[in-house]
DNA sequence: CGAAGAGAAGCGCAGCGATC
DNA sequence: GATCGCTGCGCTTCTCTTCG
């Protein structure tokens, strides 16, 4: 991000699981800069590098609601991203998007999206490395897609290239013949393209992103649709895809792939991602039919897999067990187990151990080999083993080559994410950079700002709404805060069994994810993982008295907001 | 490089004493 | 007696070291 001037008010906002619902402006920011201004609280305009003219959005109080989903769609916002939002007066906000590697997302400079969709000119947005571009499917593109010349030249598609592999969102690969235009550098698709279009249910007007995955003899390009979030549409198109005949393919590496085997698993991943973008409460709306349909798809997967591994009964039994586990996975929580973030320790440079929950949730404990996709999209085969007596899955052959090949060092932070299931899962490995400077500076300001806000805060004590406690050293040492049975009852924690993730928020709107746990089968609940981090970040040392307030009590996700913090002497 | 051992850390459970 | 905050114990998981 460009070094923001302190004269331009700005705030940052991390995107949590329920970010798709709305964008909340921090209370202190709203009160200081927006409250009382004409038009504020009813409408606003969000501008970004993606579209000069901005998005008109509606506000309810300090929340941006109407039009926010479209903005999030267009920018492909995801959980873990964060936004830096500058306010230059009036009702206009400039939004910069930062991804999980803390780097600003490039959308192409000052590109006008609407013009691109409807205009006749070449609509092209290409990243700085020219390894990907964004476009819109014109009617003629459903027959034959014309790649932009600069994209072809940058990736040598125009040099002795007669075939490419297109990898769709489900990870399925489609061989497509291509031809170079006469006297030009541009390349267009021939045979195989229409199968891809039909198989993926592509339609006129669909926006897409093509990215170069590998530039070998037969280049591999990944294809992603942009902005298709509607559940029904996703499901409908997935069905169409399933109906398409997919032959067994032989990759350039000479390996036999069974695209249909992995496809269904990918669909689940895809759906999980979709669900992350909807409100938490929507999870409850998944009908029995939704789950049954998912199971039916998995049954097909099982049958096909059995045909492949029919001779190996023992292996098949193991696979069955693991698939049963997969079927029991709750789609609403899958994203939390599809990836994890870690720090490279010295031992991991020779052999990496996966967290047990991660390897179990993704069936790594029943696999002997995985492919690890690095930042450049290159796949590294890595053998894995299950450690006896401990259930730990660890890497063996091939791992150190990956480490050396990518210059990974001790202390590097990384994210592993499963991007393809099956007998040989594919895991993406992404290095995560240090937190953005601006974000760190904002975090440092939080306790002081919070204190000022709490000092202003008063309110009557509504039973069940507040949790008032004195911080003890033991509470911080063990990262546990007991909520009290009455508080749990008042908020229906036991009735709806809301154990799991929860949100702790300070008055600035900054949120921490914590874990709410039930003590055995009792009616006692306590906050654990995340509690100490939250307490320390907000100056809640031992001896302090604080008040937490229930936010959005009707929500499935318990959210507690720190609204008062005092010393014992103040009471 | 692969495998396994050992200690540290995390976590669930049961139960204690204080309080209401 | 019920509730609450807290702690001890033991099992599981994680991390690091050592060995072949």
């Amino acid at each position: 991000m460009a070094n923001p001037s302190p004269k331009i008010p700005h705030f940052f906002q991390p995107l949590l699981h329920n970010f798709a619902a709305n964008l909340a402006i921090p209370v202190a920011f709203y009160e200081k800069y927006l409250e009382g201004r004409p038009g504020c609280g009813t409408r606003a305009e969000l501008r970004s590098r993606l579209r000069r003219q901005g998005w008109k959005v509606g506000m309810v109080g300090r929340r941006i609601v109407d039009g926010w989903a479209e903005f999030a769609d267009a920018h492909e916002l995801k959980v873990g991203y964060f936004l830096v939002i500058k306010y230059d007066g009036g009702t206009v906000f400039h939004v910069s998007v930062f991804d999980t590697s803390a780097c600003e997302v490039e959308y192409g400079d000052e590109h006008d999206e609407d013009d691109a969709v409807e205009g006749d000119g070449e609509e092209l947005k290409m990243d700085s490395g020219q390894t990907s571009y964004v476009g819109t499917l014109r009617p003629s593109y459903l027959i034959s897609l014309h790649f932009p010349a600069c994209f072809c030249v940058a990736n040598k598609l125009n040099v002795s290239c007669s075939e490419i592999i297109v990898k769709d969102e489900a990870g399925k690969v489609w061989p497509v013949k291509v031809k170079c235009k006469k006297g030009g550098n541009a390349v267009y698709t021939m045979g195989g393209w229409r199968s891809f279009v039909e198989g993926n249910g592509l339609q006129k007007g669909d926006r897409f992103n093509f990215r170069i995955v590998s530039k070998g003899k037969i280049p591999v390009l990944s294809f992603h649709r942009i902005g298709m979030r509607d559940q029904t549409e996703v499901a409908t198109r997935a069905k169409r895809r399933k109906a398409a005949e997919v032959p067994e393919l032989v990759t350039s590496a000479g390996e036999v792939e069974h695209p249909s085997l992995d496809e269904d698993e990918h669909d689940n991943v895809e759906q999980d991602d979709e669900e992350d973008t909807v409100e938490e409460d929507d999870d409850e709306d998944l009908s029995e039919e939704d789950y049954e349909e998912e199971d039916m798809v998995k049954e097909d997967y099982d049958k096909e897999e059995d045909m492949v591994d029919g001779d190996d009964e023992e292996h098949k039994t193991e696979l069955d067990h693991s698939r049963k586990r997969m079927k029991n996975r709750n789609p609403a929580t899958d994203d939390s187990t599809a990836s994890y973030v870690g720090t490279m320790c010295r031992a991991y440079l020779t052999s990496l151990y996966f967290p047990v929950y991660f390897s179990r949730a993704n069936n790594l404990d029943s696999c002997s080999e995985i492919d690890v996709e690095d930042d450049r999209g290159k796949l590294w085969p890595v053998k894995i083993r299950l450690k006896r007596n401990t259930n730990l899955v660890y890497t063996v052959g091939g791992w150190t080559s990956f480490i050396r090949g990518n210059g990974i060092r001790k202390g590097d932070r990384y994210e592993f994410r499963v991007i393809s299931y099956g007998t040989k899962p594919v895991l993406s490995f992404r290095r995560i950079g240090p937190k953005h400077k601006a974000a760190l500076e904002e975090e440092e300001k939080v306790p002081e700002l919070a204190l000022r806000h709490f000092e202003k805060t008063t309110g009557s004590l509504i039973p069940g709404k507040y949790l008032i406690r004195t911080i003890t050293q033991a509470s911080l040492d063990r990262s546990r805060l007991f909520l009290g049975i009455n508080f749990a009852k008042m908020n229906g924690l036991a009735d709806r069994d809301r154990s799991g993730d929860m949100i702790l928020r300070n008055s600035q709107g900054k949120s921490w994810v914590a874990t709410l746990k039930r003590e055995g089968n009792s009616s006692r609940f306590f906050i654990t993982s995340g509690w100490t981090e939250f307490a320390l970040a907000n100056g809640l040392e031992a001896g302090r008295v604080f008040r937490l307030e229930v936010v959005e009590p009707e929500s499935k996700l318990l959210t507690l907001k720190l609204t008062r913090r005092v010393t014992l002497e103040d009471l």
Side-chain angles (χ1 to χ4, degrees), chain A residues 152-153 155-162 180 185 187 216-217 219:
Chain A
C152 298
V153 172
N155 297 290
K156 297 181 178 171
L157 296 183
N158 56 333
V159 181
S160 63
C161 172
S162 60
C180 191
N185 292 318
V187 167
K217 209 169 186 179

Side-chain angles (χ1 to χ4, degrees), chain A residues 189-244:
Chain A
T189 62
M190 304 273 289
W193 173 250
R194 290 189 67 172
S195 301
F196 172 79
V197 169
E198 285 165 15
N200 284 275
L202 301 183
Q203 295 167 3
K204 179 186 80 174
D206 281 354
R207 287 180 55 70
F208 62 85
N209 171 254
F210 258 117
R211 180 178 291 279
I212 289 283
V213 174
S214 84
K215 297 182 183 180
K217 209 169 186 179
I218 302 179
V220 180
L221 287 79
S222 69
F223 176 94
H224 290 283
R225 244 180 302 234
I226 299 172
M228 194 182 70
R229 294 154 51 88
D230 180 82
Q231 288 284 340
T232 315
E233 191 179 354
V234 170
T236 307
R237 295 202 187 183
K239 278 179 187 172
R240 277 190 217 143
R241 242 192 348 254
K242 190 165 177 278

Side-chain angles (χ1 to χ4, degrees), chain A residues 273-509:
Chain A
D273 287 343
E274 294 295 333
E275 280 167 20
D276 279 333
T277 64
V278 299
E279 279 187 78
E280 290 290 331
D281 287 348
D282 289 348
D283 293 340
E284 292 172 348
D285 296 331
L286 284 173
S287 64
E288 285 295 322
E289 287 80 0
D290 291 329
Y291 288 107
E292 281 172 16
E293 186 178 334
E294 185 186 18
D295 279 355
M296 284 166 68
V297 171
K298 290 259 176 50
E299 296 290 354
D300 292 342
Y301 165 77
D302 289 354
K303 283 173 194 167
E304 289 186 69
E305 187 82 329
D306 286 348
M307 284 161 65
V308 174
D309 297 325
D311 295 333
D312 191 340
E313 285 301 321
E314 193 182 338
H315 179 56
K316 203 174 82 175
T317 309
E318 274 187 25
L319 281 172
D320 286 344
H321 282 303
S322 61
R323 279 176 211 138
K324 277 175 190 166
R325 286 202 299 271
M326 287 200 77
K327 284 180 184 178
N328 291 331
R329 289 167 64 189
N330 177 4
T333 60
D334 270 356
D335 193 65
S336 63
T337 55
S339 68
Y340 79 95
V341 172
T343 305
M344 198 54 70
C345 60
R346 196 169 62 83
Y348 282 179
L349 297 175
T350 49
S351 177
L352 177 97
Y353 281 73
F354 291 102
V356 170
Y357 76 89
F358 177 78
S359 51
R360 280 187 179 164
N362 299 295
N363 290 339
L364 300 185
D365 50 359
S366 59
C367 300
S368 59
E369 191 170 6
I370 58 173
D371 275 332
V372 180
E373 185 192 73
D374 65 18
D375 292 325
R376 295 160 293 180
K378 183 179 176 183
L379 294 177
W380 300 76
V382 175
K383 288 179 182 160
I384 54 175
R385 296 279 182 278
L386 179 66
K387 190 174 175 179
R388 269 178 286 167
N389 304 326
T390 65
N391 297 322
L392 284 169
V393 174
Y394 60 98
T395 62
V396 286
W399 176 248
T400 52
S401 302
F402 171 77
I403 293 291
R404 280 196 300 269
N406 285 278
I408 295 161
R409 297 176 190 171
K410 178 186 170 187
D412 284 355
R413 280 174 62 71
Y414 60 88
E415 182 192 38
F416 258 116
R417 177 175 288 276
V418 177
I419 57 176
S420 166
Y421 293 92
T423 53
K424 190 180 180 188
V426 180
L427 283 70
S428 73
F429 179 97
R430 298 285 181 266
R431 254 176 292 207
I432 300 172
K435 282 188 175 176
H436 197 270
K437 194 182 165 192
L440 288 170
E441 285 171 357
E442 289 290 342
E443 272 186 31
E444 285 170 7
K445 291 181 195 166
V446 163
E448 195 53 38
L449 290 169
L451 179 58
R452 269 190 260 146
H453 178 73
F454 297 151
E455 283 169 350
K456 285 200 301 183
T457 306
T458 55
S460 58
L461 293 181
I462 303 166
K465 189 179 180 185
Y466 299 106
L467 178 74
I468 299 174
R469 286 275 183 280
T470 305
I471 284 272
T472 63
Q473 194 56 48
S475 168
L476 297 173
D477 289 346
R478 300 199 64 167
S479 195
R480 283 187 189 185
L481 177 75
F482 284 87
L483 299 185
I485 287 178
N486 282 335
F487 181 82
K489 280 181 182 169
M490 289 282 201
N491 292 285
L493 301 186
D495 300 339
R496 297 167 64 183
D497 194 10
R498 297 206 284 193
S499 51
D501 281 351
M502 63 164 295
I503 302 294
L504 291 167
R505 192 175 289 170
N506 67 14
S507 68
Q508 264 52 51

Side-chain angles (χ1 to χ4, degrees), chain A residues 67-277:
Chain A
W68 167 247
E70 288 72 22
F71 181 88
D73 259 351
H75 292 78
E76 296 181 84
L77 300 184
K78 292 174 184 167
V79 174
Y81 282 24
F82 68 90
L83 312 175
V84 173
I85 300 163
K86 293 183 210 170
Y87 176 62
D88 61 0
T91 56
V92 178
F93 296 86
H94 291 272
V95 184
S96 301
V97 182
F98 293 81
D99 65 18
T100 52
S101 67
C103 297
E104 185 169 5
V105 177
E106 297 286 343
Y107 292 102
D109 283 334
E110 301 294 338
H111 182 77
D112 193 316
E113 187 186 51
D114 286 346
D115 289 347
V117 173
E118 290 164 17
D120 291 323
E122 180 69 28
E123 28 80 35
L124 174 65
K125 287 187 289 162
M126 202 179 310
D127 69 345
S128 54
Q130 297 187 311
T131 56
S132 70
Y133 86 95
V134 172
T136 304
L137 277 181
R138 301 172 182 180
S140 63
Y141 283 2
L142 299 175
I143 309 298
S144 173
L145 178 80
H146 290 238
F147 290 100
C150 48
F151 179 76
C152 298
V153 172
N155 297 290
K156 297 181 178 171
L157 296 183
N158 56 333
V159 181
S160 63
C161 172
S162 60
E163 188 177 6
I164 60 171
I165 298 289
V166 180
K167 198 172 167 184
D168 67 14
E169 290 158 304
K172 193 191 297 178
V173 293
W174 303 74
V176 175
K177 294 201 184 312
V178 294
K179 202 169 181 180
C180 191
K181 283 183 187 174
K182 281 180 185 175
N185 292 318
V187 167
Y188 59 95
T189 62
M190 304 273 289
W193 173 250
R194 290 189 67 172
S195 301
F196 172 79
V197 169
E198 285 165 15
N200 284 275
L202 301 183
Q203 295 167 3
K204 179 186 80 174
D206 281 354
R207 287 180 55 70
F208 62 85
N209 171 254
F210 258 117
R211 180 178 291 279
I212 289 283
V213 174
S214 84
K215 297 182 183 180
K217 209 169 186 179
I218 302 179
V220 180
L221 287 79
S222 69
F223 176 94
H224 290 283
R225 244 180 302 234
I226 299 172
M228 194 182 70
R229 294 154 51 88
D230 180 82
Q231 288 284 340
T232 315
E233 191 179 354
V234 170
T236 307
R237 295 202 187 183
K239 278 179 187 172
R240 277 190 217 143
R241 242 192 348 254
K242 190 165 177 278
E245 284 291 325
V246 185
E248 190 177 75
L249 294 170
V250 180
T251 66
S252 55
E255 287 179 25
V256 176
E257 291 198 354
H258 302 273
S260 57
L261 301 186
D262 290 337
E263 178 191 0
D264 298 327
E265 302 300 345
H266 274 287
D267 283 344
N268 295 334
V269 175
E270 197 177 324
Q271 286 185 9
D272 294 345
D273 287 343
E274 294 295 333
E275 280 167 20
D276 279 333
T277 64

